[in-house]
Amino acid sequence: MEVLQYIVRKLIAGIPLVLGVTLISFVLIVYFGPDKTYELLGKNPTAEEIAEIRSQLGYDQPFTTRYLDYLREVIRLEFGNSESTDEKVSSILARTIPTSLALAIPGFILGNLLGVMLALVAAYFRGYWIDKFIMGFAAVGMSISFLIAIIGFQILLSSSDGLDLLPVRGWDTSTPLQYIRYVTVPTLATVFVALGYNTRFYRAVIVEEMTRDHVRTARAFGVPPAQLFYRNILKNSMIPIVTRIMFSIPVIVISGSLLLESYFGIPGVGKVTYDAIVTGDQPILKAVVVLTAVLFVVAQLLADICYRIVDPRVSLK
Amino acid sequence: MAAGTNKPLLSVRDLVVEFETDQGVLRAVDGVSFDIHAGETLGLVGESGCGKTVTGLSILGLVPSPPGRIVSGRILLEGSDLAGMDEVGLRKIRGSKVSMIFQEPMTALNPVFRIGNQMRDVLQRHQGLTRLQAHSAAIEILAKVGIPEPAVRVEDYPHQLSGGMRQRVMIAMALSCGPKLLVADEPTTALDVTTQAQVLEQIVRLQQEFGMAMLLVTHDLGVVAETCRHAVVMYCGRIVESSSIDELFARPRHPYTTGLLASIPRATEERGDELPVIPGMVPDLLHLPRGCAFADRCPKAHERCRQSVPHLDLLQSTRTSVACYEPNA
């Protein structure tokens, strides 16, 4: 019950954030976004023709009316039809979001899981060669551009110069095997780059936790290393770890998929967004902007609830 | 030391502990030796940074490493050398034969587990109890250290308890496996004054009840006077004086001990009188003088004091040892 109340309260508190984001992005779209008027008109249009088109597009309405219309769309989750394909925006999203998740989730899970594991190993052996090796690897992951990592794995796994095992680009989820064949290269590239940042961050968190008094107490009572790492170090590092994981969700879903999907030609929400930016497809952009903001609110909420689970000192008040 | 010819429970011999720092090797403990007999309390006194805590940590092999390490010396507990023992061997001793309690009760317990869980863990590991047996043993020992409603409190998380209560839980945990030696590192320093006295009294009472020996590490001479029969005074990593409590307070032999005692505020002093202080500063452990580390602050220092380090020698016809060329009569 306490949790439910908390969720409702947090969602209400998230409304101003969503409003703020929609307002700013709407201003940007209206004043700096593409103007469709002249695309729809012939050459040398008359003033009347211009005015007619503008009123068809709704451009003649005052700003507040247009913004309120947009908010009405947001509340009904009904953003109209795409200007390029005339498909309903909601059905485009329903079709593409699962694809994006199928693409992003394996890399997300592996990147964090391996990151925590490598960080634990590095922290345990800190100062020794294995720590230096892992941190060196992390530094490479951080310094190499995402695009270079993608191309590197493509050459290694998908080209005749490498193993030539996997498709270069595209997407197919008809069978699990096909899915694995197509998801592997993007996942490897994501994990490789994410591991760099994750391992460094998690190692710092874990090393800090290792110097805490309660760790020394546990050692003074004969706690063996494996238990020490699990009960004292990992459990107490969960707040920063959860924070990082939760807040990377919106980033991965939006910006990660933007690059990955347009590069690999994967029909996910990132590809759709990219195309919408290029063609100035306003209904899609408006929907994506709102979804991103909502995703942030939800991620924050999930993070708060996870804090409560991992740390008894946190109360959901 | 204590009367009787039987072998001491713990015998520390020529212990040297060093820390690697960016500025060079720092010798935190330099040739420290002392004995503790079964059931006896030894006070280890000195200012912050004098090496008393590191000495205490060395006994359980808890000197943070890197950067610290025991360079030489022996720590004999009932004949087996803890200084040369591997982690696996030490783990069997930690919390069972030798327990330690720390200065900071607020942070010394794991914040994400209930205190009962943490206490059960120690009991199950060392005593081989089942979960249920360990649970009732934990409640029993919590009652012993004066925690009201122990059966309820055992389900609390550390943050739900006050500082004094947490320190009691630490003490309960430390005593739960019936250790032969308790290393208490400033056990009451972080508590407020009224709680201090209660907790100290509790420790002494339980120590007698359990018949265990204690190494009490503290900077507080008042605490030492109340609890110990014998005390060792450390300065810059070395023992400067080792004496019975009565002797130490009545006739301090080392000028440093004299200075320490003089700087304790007394109720009899006139209000407004200036409290005597030891002039000068504790020297930097990285740049210790060649001779006696206290020479620069010592009113009686002469050339020899600055040239070579005085040994800790037994004074004739006393049981007091002092490391000084000019001990007080």
Side-chain angles (χ1 to χ4, degrees):
Chain A
M1 204 50 226
E2 183 205 17
V3 175
L4 199 69
Q5 274 182 8
Y6 179 75
I7 292 174
V8 172
R9 216 167 41 235
K10 270 283 169 175
L11 285 178
I12 292 170
I15 289 174
L17 174 71
V18 177
L19 279 180
V21 170
T22 51
L23 181 63
I24 292 170
S25 46
F26 190 70
V27 169
L28 290 175
I29 290 172
V30 167
Y31 289 104
F32 302 99
D35 189 326
K36 288 262 159 193
T37 316
Y38 300 97
E39 282 179 33
L40 299 174
L41 287 166
K43 276 188 178 168
N44 301 322
T46 61
E48 289 76 33
E49 282 171 334
I50 292 174
E52 193 193 326
I53 285 288
R54 290 189 75 83
S55 95
Q56 271 176 21
L57 288 166
Y59 286 5
D60 57 342
Q61 299 291 320
F63 178 82
T64 43
T65 318
R66 294 180 65 188
Y67 180 60
L68 289 175
D69 279 343
Y70 175 44
L71 285 185
R72 213 164 287 134
E73 288 175 6
V74 169
I75 290 160
R76 298 194 347 256
L77 286 178
E78 200 55 69
F79 296 93
N81 293 1
S82 158
E83 285 170 3
S84 16
T85 60
D86 209 32
E87 193 183 350
K88 267 179 79 177
V89 171
S90 45
S91 82
I92 293 180
L93 293 178
R95 177 163 50 79
T96 54
I97 287 177
T99 305
S100 288
L101 291 179
L103 174 68
I105 284 174
F108 174 69
I109 292 176
L110 282 176
N112 283 299
L113 216 57
L114 289 176
V116 171
M117 277 159 53
L118 287 178
L120 279 172
V121 173
Y124 184 72
F125 293 104
R126 71 179 185 285
Y128 293 98
W129 68 267
I130 187 158
D131 174 32
K132 286 174 184 151
F133 178 77
I134 290 174
M135 294 329 285
F137 172 77
V140 171
M142 280 172 77
S143 357
I144 287 184
S145 133
F146 192 21
L147 216 54
I148 303 289
I150 293 174
I151 294 168
F153 280 108
Q154 278 183 325
I155 291 173
L156 274 177
L157 296 169
S158 316
S159 78
S160 53
D161 293 326
L163 296 173
D164 206 3
L165 282 174
L166 301 168
V168 176
R169 61 196 302 277
W171 190 246
D172 183 0
T173 52
S174 52
T175 67
L177 186 69
Q178 281 298 86
Y179 168 56
I180 290 170
R181 276 169 50 81
Y182 280 96
V183 86
T184 300
V185 173
T187 300
L188 281 175
T190 316
V191 169
F192 184 73
V193 172
L195 263 189
Y197 292 93
N198 287 347
T199 308
R200 272 191 86 88
F201 178 82
Y202 295 145
R203 180 184 177 276
V205 168
I206 289 162
V207 164
E208 176 163 346
E209 207 53 47
M210 283 169 77
T211 63
R212 297 253 191 257
D213 285 353
H214 65 81
V215 174
R216 187 178 64 179
T217 306
R219 289 190 61 212
F221 283 93
V223 173
Q227 194 188 334
L228 192 74
F229 262 79
Y230 180 68
R231 280 173 57 111
N232 289 84
I233 297 170
L234 199 56
K235 279 257 182 184
N236 278 288
S237 313
M238 282 318 282
I239 285 204
I241 292 177
V242 161
T243 309
R244 182 175 175 87
I245 290 178
M246 288 304 164
F247 282 85
S248 67
I249 289 177
V251 178
I252 281 179
V253 171
I254 304 305
S255 55
S257 61
L258 215 65
L259 179 63
L260 220 49
E261 288 171 14
S262 48
Y263 187 84
F264 283 94
I266 296 167
V269 74
K271 174 88 167 62
V272 167
T273 310
Y274 176 79
D275 291 344
I277 293 170
V278 173
T279 58
D281 199 338
Q282 286 196 13
I284 290 181
L285 287 180
K286 284 178 189 167
V288 169
V289 161
V290 173
L291 277 184
T292 313
V294 170
L295 205 55
F296 264 101
V297 174
V298 170
Q300 206 172 8
L301 183 65
L302 281 178
D304 283 346
I305 292 170
C306 287
Y307 295 161
R308 179 70 190 83
I309 295 168
V310 299
D311 193 332
R313 284 168 297 181
V314 176
S315 77
L316 295 178
K317 284 276 152 64
Chain B
M1 300 232 160
T5 50
N6 52 335
K7 284 179 98 180
L9 174 73
L10 179 84
S11 177
V12 175
R13 285 287 165 271
D14 302 314
L15 181 68
V16 177
V17 183
E18 287 182 345
F19 285 81
E20 300 268 351
T21 68
D22 292 340
Q23 288 88 42
V25 176
L26 183 152
R27 188 166 279 207
V29 177
D30 191 0
V32 163
S33 302
F34 57 83
D35 288 334
I36 303 179
H37 288 265
E40 187 195 58
T41 303
L42 178 71
L44 189 55
V45 196
E47 292 168 86
S48 349
C50 73
K52 57 190 195 300
T53 294
V54 174
T55 306
L57 289 173
S58 305
I59 295 171
L60 277 171
L62 291 174
V63 174
S65 163
R69 70 189 180 98
I70 296 177
V71 178
S72 62
R74 284 176 303 162
I75 300 168
L76 298 168
L77 180 77
E78 297 181 315
S80 51
D81 187 3
L82 303 183
M85 199 176 273
D86 60 4
E87 272 288 308
V88 181
L90 282 170
R91 239 179 272 147
K92 292 208 184 81
I93 286 168
R94 292 173 184 157
S96 62
K97 269 191 180 173
V98 184
S99 279
M100 185 153 186
I101 50 181
F102 298 97
Q103 179 171 1
E104 254 319 318
M106 303 314 270
T107 53
L109 289 161
N110 190 343
V112 299
F113 286 98
R114 296 176 199 277
I115 58 167
N117 184 324
Q118 299 185 47
M119 294 184 69
R120 278 201 303 275
D121 180 60
V122 178
L123 284 159
Q124 285 179 275
R125 183 168 47 250
H126 289 311
Q127 308 275 70
L129 301 184
T130 65
R131 193 176 177 282
L132 221 63
Q133 289 170 326
H135 189 75
S136 41
I139 293 175
E140 204 177 303
I141 190 102
L142 282 177
K144 271 208 172 117
V145 297
I147 302 240
E149 295 182 279
V152 182
R153 298 280 95 155
V154 79
E155 298 298 333
D156 277 352
Y157 286 99
H159 72 273
Q160 290 166 303
L161 300 171
S162 69
M165 284 295 155
R166 282 188 224 187
Q167 195 62 306
R168 280 172 220 256
V169 171
M170 274 300 301
I171 294 166
M173 222 161 108
L175 300 188
S176 62
C177 297
K180 299 208 161 132
L181 174 68
L182 177 69
V183 180
D185 184 6
E186 306 263 11
T188 58
T189 307
L191 306 175
D192 60 42
V193 183
T194 46
T195 325
Q196 264 184 18
Q198 288 173 5
V199 170
L200 196 63
E201 201 179 308
Q202 199 104 48
I203 292 175
V204 172
R205 196 172 53 71
L206 289 164
Q207 186 211 354
Q208 281 159 4
E209 192 183 325
F210 282 72
M212 62 180 179
M214 177 157 81
L215 176 66
L216 183 70
V217 177
T218 181
H219 69 276
D220 190 338
L221 283 163
V223 168
V224 170
E226 277 173 58
T227 49
C228 309
R229 283 180 51 195
H230 201 98
V232 163
V233 181
M234 282 184 77
Y235 186 74
C236 289
R238 293 203 184 97
I239 293 180
V240 293
E241 182 162 358
S242 166
S243 166
S244 74
I245 288 301
D246 297 340
E247 274 289 306
L248 191 78
F249 280 83
R251 276 176 296 278
R253 306 291 183 154
H254 197 283
Y256 175 63
T257 317
T258 315
L260 272 187
L261 288 171
S263 57
I264 302 176
R266 274 163 230 276
T268 52
E269 257 162 62
E270 286 293 314
R271 186 180 281 256
D273 274 3
E274 219 166 285
L275 200 60
V277 289
I278 305 175
M281 299 274 285
V282 180
D284 179 0
L285 283 178
L286 281 166
H287 307 101
L288 280 182
R290 192 143 63 97
C292 174
F294 191 62
D296 284 344
R297 306 172 72 185
C298 183
K300 298 160 90 178
H302 48 66
E303 202 41 45
R304 192 176 167 210
C305 299
R306 298 182 212 284
Q307 290 307 320
S308 64
V309 181
H311 287 287
L312 187 68
D313 290 325
L314 197 64
L315 284 182
Q316 270 180 347
S317 71
T318 65
R319 291 219 303 272
T320 299
S321 304
V322 64
C324 185
Y325 292 125
E326 298 290 333
N328 302 328

